[in-house]
Amino acid sequence: MFLKKKETPQIDPQQRELYEHARKRIIQKKRLFQHFVIFIVGAVFFALLNLVFDYGKDITFFGVNWYVVAILCWAFLFIVHFCNVWLFTTFMGREWSDKQMERLIAKQKEEIALMQKDVDLMYPKDDLMKKKEGFIKGKTSEIVEELKEKESKNMITMIAAAGENDALGKDNDLVWHLPDDFKRFKDLTTGHHIIMGRKTFETFPKLLPNRIHIVISRNESYQAEGAIVVHSMKDALDIAKNDVQPFIIGGGEIYKIGLAYADAIELTRVHGDFEADAFFPAIDEETWKLEKEEFHDVDEKHKYSFTYLTYKKK
Ligand SMILES: NC(=O)c1ccc[n+]([C@@H]2O[C@H](COP(=O)([O-])OP(=O)(O)OC[C@H]3O[C@@H](n4cnc5c(N)ncnc54)[C@H](OP(=O)(O)O)[C@@H]3O)[C@@H](O)[C@H]2O)c1
């Protein structure tokens, strides 16, 4: 004979959470009410002690009778308790906590993605696989040397959008509006140093968030609020030397100088010829290897089609 095992009812986790929340709220309110009753009884007791039984009639604090001070202090504690239970849970209740939590999680995810981007740059997957094989084969010291060498080198990257005729902009402005390219620029450069010429800096209405701005100018007295001013590309790169991927973001004059220092180019080739007064320098195929390309078609937000091209120095 087997006894049928009693099944425990399954409670929906969401319902359980709601139930737990309601239970806690009831306990909180009950305690608040108890505190209120004790406070009233206590206050009356103090008053009677003093007024009817003359207890401590001559004890004062700053000229105020002790029982008044005691009641005021207690009233303050009661108000704090009330705020905690009522006001904070009304205005900073579960919904508020959930929103805060979501915001914090989103922010942390963003930071993790940024860190991951840097790690991927420092240790590309292919390299890691090679190293893993090396470790298995016992070539530890060679791998440590290679790692040290890699750590001391950052990837200086030029990032630009240029037409088929290398057009960059005209009258200190861009000649197209490509939101997806802007987004890519933001994603790639956030958290890094951005190096630019004085003219490009002056096209910005405000500083770009979460990036260190380095402005190059020949003018020794030039000042740019919120940015670091230097007078050569070398100085700019020196400031950014601990950044795994500093970006040279233009314009024409600065790209021309930057080409000799860059290890990579993120170029958005906009399909069309444009009238311009600033141009991207020619990319020599002997020096640069095209590693990746991704086409973006015309759509309601993008008047021109374009291709993201990633070049690495050979
Ligand atoms: N399509 C894109 O991706 C992109 C990106 C960035 C900019 N742009 C466009 O490019 C245009 C601006 O480019 P640009 O070539 O006219 O100007 P720029 O390269 O932004 O800045 C030129 C300034 O940099 C300083 N400079 C240049 N060479 C230097 C050197 N060797 N040493 C020290 N300082 C030096 C000088 O500043 P001082 O005059 O103060 O000495 C010079 O006037 C704008 O139309 C902008 O919209 C396009």
Side-chain angles (χ1 to χ4, degrees):
M1 276 298 259
F2 295 104
L3 279 174
K4 204 176 168 198
K5 201 178 164 194
K6 203 177 167 189
E7 281 182 15
T8 37
Q10 292 289 316
I11 303 172
D12 176 359
Q14 213 172 353
Q15 271 186 0
R16 180 179 216 112
E17 208 185 317
L18 282 173
Y19 166 77
E20 277 299 319
H21 180 68
R23 200 176 62 87
K24 273 187 199 152
R25 290 284 290 141
I26 291 166
I27 292 173
Q28 279 179 341
K29 282 183 184 175
K30 221 165 140 181
R31 283 190 186 144
L32 181 66
F33 183 69
Q34 282 168 350
H35 190 174
F36 178 68
V37 172
I38 294 171
F39 166 66
I40 295 292
V41 172
V44 171
F45 176 71
F46 282 164
L48 284 179
L49 209 61
N50 190 269
L51 299 173
V52 180
F53 300 104
D54 284 350
Y55 180 77
K57 202 127 199 174
D58 34 307
I59 305 172
T60 57
F61 293 96
F62 301 106
V64 184
N65 204 305
W66 70 269
Y67 83 96
V68 178
V69 176
I71 290 172
L72 284 178
C73 289
W74 200 347
F76 173 73
L77 287 177
F78 177 72
I79 289 167
V80 171
H81 191 171
F82 174 80
C83 289
N84 193 21
V85 172
W86 189 253
L87 292 179
F88 292 157
T89 36
T90 304
F91 298 108
M92 293 171 154
R94 261 190 57 191
E95 229 172 84
W96 182 84
S97 310
D98 288 352
K99 262 192 201 150
Q100 293 299 315
M101 189 68 94
E102 268 170 32
R103 272 180 48 189
L104 268 175
I105 291 172
K107 210 170 159 207
Q108 280 188 359
K109 273 188 182 164
E110 233 171 68
E111 277 168 15
I112 290 168
L114 271 175
M115 278 158 69
Q116 184 62 49
K117 205 174 78 182
D118 288 350
V119 169
D120 289 346
L121 254 170
M122 281 193 282
Y123 308 112
K125 249 190 187 146
D126 290 352
D127 284 11
L128 283 179
M129 287 311 286
K130 252 199 290 183
K131 274 171 204 126
K132 198 175 159 195
E133 280 166 25
F135 276 124
I136 292 165
K137 287 175 189 160
K139 296 178 183 170
T140 318
S141 58
E142 287 166 38
I143 291 160
V144 169
E145 276 312 305
E146 206 185 311
L147 272 173
K148 271 188 194 159
E149 200 185 308
K150 196 134 215 182
E151 268 166 15
S152 61
K153 175 102 184 76
N154 57 6
M155 168 111 77
I156 301 163
T157 305
M158 298 222 294
I159 185 162
E164 304 272 14
N165 60 339
D166 289 327
L168 286 171
K170 193 172 184 291
D171 302 327
N172 239 8
D173 207 353
L174 297 177
V175 284
W176 47 69
H177 177 67
L178 305 169
D180 282 354
D181 184 49
F182 275 144
K183 192 180 170 300
R184 183 170 183 267
F185 175 86
K186 185 183 167 207
D187 289 348
L188 286 173
T189 58
T190 294
H192 294 284
H193 291 71
I194 48 175
I195 299 165
M196 71 207 87
R198 191 261 309 160
K199 287 187 188 166
T200 293
F201 178 72
E202 287 180 357
T203 65
F204 294 172
K206 58 182 171 73
L207 296 178
L208 305 180
N210 304 320
R211 277 152 278 195
I212 299 170
H213 296 56
I214 304 178
V215 181
I216 308 181
S217 167
R218 289 190 185 90
N219 182 349
E220 295 282 335
S221 55
Y222 184 71
Q223 288 191 340
E225 211 186 317
I228 303 164
V229 179
V230 293
H231 308 292
S232 71
M233 179 61 80
K234 264 199 164 159
D235 287 349
L237 291 171
D238 198 43
I239 287 169
K241 68 175 185 289
N242 293 324
D243 185 342
V244 286
Q245 191 178 24
F247 284 89
I248 297 169
I249 66 158
E253 289 185 40
I254 295 306
Y255 287 135
K256 213 176 281 173
I257 308 167
L259 207 55
Y261 297 90
D263 305 298
I265 303 173
E266 292 289 353
L267 181 69
T268 303
R269 183 65 81 188
V270 187
H271 301 302
D273 283 347
F274 301 88
E275 215 181 290
D277 54 21
F279 293 88
F280 195 76
I283 298 173
D284 178 9
E285 284 180 14
E286 293 287 305
T287 317
W288 295 94
K289 182 178 168 229
L290 180 62
E291 287 227 321
K292 225 165 75 185
E293 54 186 310
E294 193 189 328
F295 180 72
H296 189 303
D297 214 343
V298 174
D299 59 27
E300 69 276 8
K301 284 189 193 152
H302 301 83
K303 198 171 156 195
Y304 306 101
S305 65
F306 50 95
T307 306
Y308 300 124
L309 303 169
T310 303
Y311 291 92
K312 293 269 164 73
K313 210 170 231 167
K314 283 181 185 170

